[in-house]
Structures are given as structure tokens and as C-alpha cells.
Amino acid sequence: MIAGVRGLVSRGLYEAKTLVAMHPAIAMPIARIRGHGVLIDQRTDILIEGYPRSANVFTTTAFAMAQGRPVQVAHNVHAPAHVIAAVRAGIPSLVLVREPEDAVLRVVVYKQNVTIAQALRAYVRFYRPLLPCRHRFVVGPFPDVTTNLGAVIRRVNERFGTDFAEFDHTAENAQVCFDAMDRHWRARVDSAELLERYVNRPSEVRRRWVATLAPAYRATDLRHLRYEADRLHAVLAEAGG
């Protein structure tokens, strides 16, 4: 009974959060109070943002690792309002985008009380408000940032006239990032199952969990949400070149 009530409350809060996250005037003050992620300010050198489970942590970790100097990176607020605020402030911005099914189902695995429909709506709510300003940020498609992040950073430099160092995307350097991500979560969770749900590096266990959810994702009653999420992904991925 109590678990059911908690789940209902958690889903309601998630729904409200993804609605509010579209509006900078509301979302930004709330984000500052919550202290979730790193928000833009007058010292910010670059913003890196995306829907959760879109290589946000890997990208920010690898980016910082490549610089060899202190760089102020705003990241992991997971709100379109954060991107809009950065664009308005003229801050170089990189928006990460992953295929909807891959990202959405991993969010459901991570946030066990969130439904697939809710996670799909959140995906649409994240990327739809960004379409009007899509030519004012660089898009980092998931396959690019996870295999050739250096080329993505090069696009950022070309677009904004910056001189960020490019990440040397070798298997060894990527593993250094994965190990750092793994250590972060091992210090915060007390079971192997939670580690696999939360950690942002590749996981065979998580891939199996995601596969079991795939039939529900493709349910008929979600077709309109899937269509819109796929459309948004296609438009942004094309913008990413």
C-alpha cells in the first residue's frame, strides 16, 4: 500500500518536473534551489545537456579530461530550459541526442516508478522546445559522442570560435572515463543491482533489462508519442550532421 502511494507520488512529481522544465522563468530558479546538476552562470565556458541516458556523464567527463586546464562546464540539469537560457546568454552549447527507444527505456530502468509513456512524454518535452533554436547550438548524436567525441568538440569550436581541446577517443581513454563513472556510483549505492541501474557506462545487465521492456515500448497506444519522439530525433540528428 505504502509502496503504491510512493510510486504514485513519484510519478506525479516526475510529470510535473518535465512540464516545468520547458520554461526557463520557472525551471531555472527551481533548479538553483534543488542544486541538481551544474547550472550556467557568468563563468560558464560551455553547456553540455541532453535527455537523461544520452551519454551526458560520459561526454562531460571526457570533455573535462581532454582540456588539461580548468573549464567551467554547465551540465546534467536535464532541462530544455537550461539549454534555452544558455543560448540566450550566448554560451557555447552542445545538446546530446539519442534514439528515443534506447534513451527512454534506460530511463525507465533507472527510475523504476516512471512509466514508459511518461518517459516518452519527457523526451518530447525535452527536445520539442529546442527546435526553434536548433541552429544556435551544436547537436551531439549519441553514436558520434560515444565513438568520436573529438570530432564533435571540433564542431563546437568551428561553430563558436572556441579552442577546446579535442578528446582523443581511444578505447583506453574511454575506459578511463567509464572507470571514473563506475567509482562515482560505487561510492553511492550499496548493491550490484542498483549499480547496474544507475551507472552511466555500458552494461550488459542493463541491456537485458531494456530488451524485456521493448515490447511494451512498441504498444499501439504509444504510437503517437513514439512518432513525435522519432520525428524530433530525426530533425536534431540531421542538424548534428
Side-chain angles (χ1 to χ4, degrees):
M1 178 69 175
I2 293 175
V5 171
R6 285 176 179 165
L8 187 63
V9 171
S10 178
R11 287 190 291 275
L13 289 172
Y14 180 82
E15 198 76 29
K17 182 180 73 173
T18 60
L19 281 167
V20 166
M22 296 187 290
H23 307 287
I26 306 172
M28 295 297 286
I30 292 175
R32 293 190 190 284
I33 293 170
R34 291 181 66 222
H36 179 69
V38 178
L39 282 161
I40 61 168
D41 61 22
Q42 66 275 12
R43 301 166 299 166
T44 301
D45 294 301
I46 186 172
L47 171 134
I48 300 174
E49 272 291 2
Y51 179 83
R53 303 290 144 169
S54 300
N56 290 273
V57 176
F58 173 80
T59 303
T60 55
T61 302
F63 179 88
M65 173 181 156
Q67 301 315 303
R69 60 185 174 88
V71 177
Q72 298 294 325
V73 183
H75 61 93
N76 279 71
V77 177
H78 301 307
H82 198 204
V83 179
I84 294 168
V87 166
R88 289 174 177 171
I91 295 170
S93 300
L94 172 61
V95 173
L96 310 177
V97 60
R98 186 176 191 174
E99 290 217 10
E101 182 171 350
D102 291 341
V104 163
L105 293 185
R106 281 165 175 78
V107 166
V108 174
V109 166
Y110 173 58
K111 294 182 175 291
Q112 298 172 64
N113 287 321
V114 171
T115 68
I116 293 174
Q118 282 189 299
L120 257 172
R121 280 194 294 274
Y123 187 99
V124 170
R125 289 168 181 167
F126 188 96
Y127 291 109
R128 186 188 279 160
L130 301 184
L131 288 191
C133 58
R134 67 184 181 276
H135 300 301
R136 299 175 65 187
F137 54 75
V138 170
V139 176
F142 184 83
D144 293 354
V145 297
T146 55
T147 63
N148 194 3
L149 179 58
V152 177
I153 296 172
R154 190 178 314 134
R155 294 206 298 269
V156 171
N157 287 335
E158 291 168 352
R159 171 66 179 79
F160 295 104
T162 47
D163 61 350
F164 298 121
E166 296 177 16
F167 179 67
D168 183 11
H169 210 134
T170 64
E172 293 76 16
N173 284 341
Q175 190 60 52
V176 170
C177 296
F178 294 145
D179 290 345
M181 293 150 63
D182 202 75
R183 287 193 300 273
H184 171 86
W185 279 111
R186 284 185 185 278
R188 288 162 175 77
V189 299
D190 57 5
S191 75
E193 178 183 338
L194 285 178
L195 180 66
E196 295 303 324
R197 287 188 185 278
Y198 291 173
V199 74
N200 309 84
R201 48 129 173 97
S203 163
E204 184 57 39
V205 173
R206 194 183 310 112
R207 276 193 286 269
R208 291 198 294 270
W209 286 335
V210 166
T212 66
L213 294 170
Y217 179 87
R218 296 163 192 157
T220 302
D221 62 336
L222 297 179
R223 65 185 182 279
H224 296 302
L225 276 173
R226 284 198 308 272
Y227 175 83
E228 180 62 3
D230 287 340
R231 182 187 74 85
L232 292 167
H233 174 264
V235 171
L236 289 166
E238 182 180 5

